[in-house]
Structures are given as C-alpha cells and as structure tokens.
Amino acid sequence: MDRGKPGSKMHVLSDAAGLPLRVGLSAANTHDSQALKPMLSHFHMGHELHAADSKPQRLHADKAYDIPELRKWLWGKRIGVRIARKGIESSERLGRRRWVIERTMSWLTGYHRLNHRYERHLRNYLAFLGLAAALCCYKRLLKLTM
C-alpha cells in the first residue's frame, strides 16, 4: 500500500500462459489484497456443468495477499493457493511463476497510453486497459493460427 499516493493501480488476472483474463483499477493508496475478490467474482464458482473449466484452479500471488481471510475465502471457493508467507518464504521461490504476470504487465504498459495515466476519467483509462488486454489476446491468437 502506498499511503497518500495519488493516481491509480492496475490489477491483472491472467492464466498460466500470461493471457490477461480480467483487468481492473483501484486507487493507488488501497491495498492490493482488496482487489482480489472483485477480480475473481466473475468466474462461475458453483457446481454447474463445466464449472471446472471456467474457474481458476490455482492462484499464485505475492506476500501482499498473505491474509488469513483471503486464504479461507479462496479455499471456500475451491481454488488452490500458492501465496508466499510473510516472514517465512522468500520471494525467490515464487519467481518461477511470478515472471508470467510481470511479463503480462509489461505487455500492457508497453502501450504508450497506459504507461502513464493521461486520462482524467477512470472509465476512459479502464477502457484503454481493456483494449490493451484484448490486443494481447489477439496477438497470441495470431501466433497460434499462423
């Protein structure tokens, strides 16, 4: 959490290959862990047919998400948890998986409009962020089909 910091913070939920599945924004002075539940809320978490295909099976996250309430919530949703523990595990062990999301963030901020927030209105910046995520998915699709 960056206390008193103006601006906004990008949140990205990606698959194991780094494709952005969901993007979001929050105020820069809010804690990262507060964005996790809204980011996962659009997945079907029930026991309906094909629910296993639409919900995440495992979540990899850094120490900012090491909160007992979040761990219980994720276990209740039957999502496996791989979160570094504060004061116990080094962040180097998570680096094997963490680079995927770092690369995704790099892809998104590679678009000049997103590197710095030029937009005054949140909805406009979120629209550009969604467009950048769609372009990342489109580029991956082109690589797979050619």
Side-chain angles (χ1 to χ4, degrees):
M1 174 167 52
D2 299 323
R3 291 181 178 90
K5 182 178 178 184
S8 58
K9 190 183 296 188
M10 258 194 295
H11 301 281
V12 179
L13 184 66
S14 74
D15 66 357
L19 277 178
L21 300 176
R22 184 148 191 204
V23 293
L25 292 172
S26 68
N29 61 352
T30 59
H31 197 269
D32 290 341
S33 63
Q34 293 178 351
L36 182 62
K37 288 181 183 179
M39 292 294 283
L40 290 173
S41 66
H42 82 288
F43 287 103
H44 300 287
M45 300 294 187
H47 299 288
E48 62 268 357
L49 189 62
H50 304 294
D53 298 334
S54 62
K55 80 174 185 83
Q57 295 177 0
R58 189 172 300 116
L59 177 80
H60 293 269
D62 60 9
K63 294 179 184 184
Y65 298 92
D66 185 26
I67 298 173
E69 175 196 338
L70 283 178
R71 286 181 180 271
K72 288 178 189 175
W73 184 79
L74 288 167
W75 279 109
K77 300 292 183 187
R78 296 187 177 151
I79 299 174
V81 178
R82 181 63 183 102
I83 301 174
R85 296 182 187 273
K86 294 177 186 173
I88 298 173
E89 294 176 280
S90 70
S91 59
E92 294 171 4
R93 290 189 61 200
L94 276 179
R96 293 179 295 202
R97 303 278 194 268
R98 179 100 179 117
W99 70 271
V100 175
I101 193 66
E102 295 297 336
R103 182 186 61 187
T104 304
M105 296 294 281
S106 176
W107 288 342
L108 293 174
T109 56
Y111 293 97
H112 177 69
R113 192 87 181 200
L114 296 176
N115 198 12
H116 299 286
R117 184 170 170 181
Y118 296 107
E119 302 300 321
R120 175 173 290 235
H121 298 288
L122 180 72
R123 67 178 180 271
N124 294 345
Y125 188 70
L126 187 58
F128 280 117
L129 183 59
L131 182 60
L135 286 172
C136 289
C137 293
Y138 177 69
K139 287 179 181 180
R140 176 69 59 88
L141 179 65
L142 282 179
K143 283 184 180 179
L144 293 175
T145 57
M146 293 190 150

